[in-house]
Amino acid sequence: MRHTDSDGTDEGARPRAAPVTDLNLLRTFLAVYRSGSFTAAAGLLGLSQPTVTTQIRALERQTGRELFERLPRGAAPTPVAHDLAAGVAGPLDALAAATGHETAPHERAAPVHLAGPAELLCTRVLPALAPLAADGVRLRITPGLTEPLLDELRAGRHDLVIATYRPRGRALTSVPLMDEEFVLVAAPGWADRLAGPLAEEGPAALHAVPLVSYAEDLPIARRYWRHVFGSRLSRPAAVTVPDLRGVLAAVTAGAGFTVLPRYLCEAELASGALVALHRPDDPPINTAYLTQRPGRPAHPGVTRVRDLLVEAARGW
């Protein structure tokens, strides 16, 4: 965000920003940074939300840089905000302690912003991270598609992103987190009807069966067809649901067939609610990566989240 003074000068063009001397502005900044919200910071500081907004704008004018990306829910710190917080948090906390106004530990800890596929976050990641919440680590979870989430990670809106592919270049660092195997599945009623035709005709037997997909371009099913059957899947979906949990629910109820990650439907496969229609010797595999920006000052909560996810993923 650029601010223009009354004389028309664009502060973003200034080579140097004036030093910040108002500690109240820095305290307000730190409260917003740690709470992730102007409204929450106002409650912590005993101020009105408009006052917090005014103070942050004043600080942005003084520094000549945008500190927070205003979101529909909350505020995401920019890279400049991360750098500023790293520099002022310790001194401000020490000053608060010396004057008898030390902030409670749960208020001091900045939230860990983690993003990734909604289905993986809900079925694997959040259960794995539950002990951290009880231990005082504050989490802010954002579901979404990998490409826009990586763009937001580069912009400083997230601390960690679980990506469905390894990002290119050196702007981000990634470690493999887990492999997901894809399975061709349908409810028992369809499986019984298709057992014979599938053995005789192969994938052509599925032509008359409704296909349930995550998206119109059938990304997961097309990959399965190319990898397993060596052919191109060219047919429209009968049902599209932009959440694999919805795809799972529809297919379990008998809507047709689909391709799902095994981790998402393993309970249904074990109970018989779903049946694997095909068992290839070499099923398609996709690797998820835990991604972050290199060289950023990560508070201990980020390190704990990262380490716990890597440890938990060994059992996924």
Side-chain angles (χ1 to χ4, degrees), residues 33-53:
Y33 181 86
R34 287 170 166 169
S35 67
S37 160
F38 282 45
T39 302
L44 293 174
L45 297 169
L47 301 174
S48 68
Q49 191 271 339
T51 298
V52 170
T53 300

Side-chain angles (χ1 to χ4, degrees), residues 188-271:
W190 282 112
D192 291 343
R193 293 165 57 182
L194 290 168
L198 272 173
E200 297 175 2
E201 305 171 29
L206 294 168
H207 183 74
V209 183
L211 169 59
V212 184
S213 177
Y214 178 85
E216 291 289 351
D217 59 348
L218 318 176
I220 300 176
R222 283 192 297 106
R223 177 175 179 176
Y224 189 96
W225 249 247
R226 184 173 61 250
H227 182 91
V228 175
F229 300 126
S231 61
R232 184 171 178 267
L233 177 64
S234 57
R235 57 172 294 179
V239 180
T240 61
V241 188
D243 188 312
L244 290 177
R245 293 165 297 179
V247 174
L248 171 63
V251 174
T252 303
F257 78 96
T258 193
V259 179
L260 289 172
R262 182 176 290 276
Y263 79 83
L264 189 63
C265 61
E266 60 184 359
E268 287 76 12
L269 289 170
S271 69

Side-chain angles (χ1 to χ4, degrees), residues 68-84:
F68 296 100
E69 177 76 15
R70 279 65 165 176
L71 304 176
R73 295 182 181 179
T78 65
V80 175
H82 286 302
D83 290 337
L84 180 59

